[in-house]
Amino acid sequence: MMSKILIIEDDALTREFYKCLFKRTDIEAFILDDGDEAIQILSNEEIKLILMDINLNNTFLNTVKMDGIRLSRYIKTSMNGISSIPILLVTAYSILPAQENFINQSMAQGIISKPILDHNEFINKIKMMMLK
């Protein structure tokens, strides 16, 4: 049985990158462009990990605009039975104090910097996080 992850990314080119990358793995990736659809997937699928862009621009929950940090926090605090799923944030911000702040605000378990240059290392990190 394939492990399943949920990827929330509003940039079309980055979504295409994820599609190509995860085709080569034993991980089934649900790749979405907004958090509204993600909430439905989380309610219906056994997801092992959530990978989420910090700068989502098109996600609204109950008319409240949600970036990746707010959406991560919402999942961790408001969704019964789902809050234990590890969340990895993805960002182009490379300054360490900013990244630590994002993790604290979002309640995520980790952060990955863009661009993703080492594809094998990236996939290995995803697999390690799914085991936690």
Side-chain angles (χ1 to χ4, degrees), residues 62-79:
N62 301 323
T63 70
V64 175
K65 185 170 171 75
M66 299 285 227
D67 61 12
I69 293 170
R70 292 179 76 181
L71 181 58
S72 175
R73 189 171 193 82
Y74 174 82
I75 291 167
K76 289 294 185 182
T77 61
S78 301
M79 298 191 69

Side-chain angles (χ1 to χ4, degrees), residues 3-46:
S3 294
K4 298 176 185 178
I5 68 167
L6 177 63
I7 299 172
I8 310 164
E9 171 61 62
D10 59 354
D11 179 70
L13 187 60
T14 306
R15 282 194 312 273
E16 194 58 37
F17 163 75
Y18 288 136
K19 281 181 194 173
C20 292
L21 186 62
F22 281 97
K23 274 184 189 177
R24 302 181 340 215
T25 71
D26 59 349
I27 300 169
E28 182 179 355
F30 293 90
I31 303 170
L32 310 173
D33 67 349
D34 70 66
D36 297 318
E37 193 177 355
I39 299 301
Q40 293 174 5
I41 295 286
L42 286 167
S43 299
N44 297 317
E45 296 287 341
E46 189 176 326

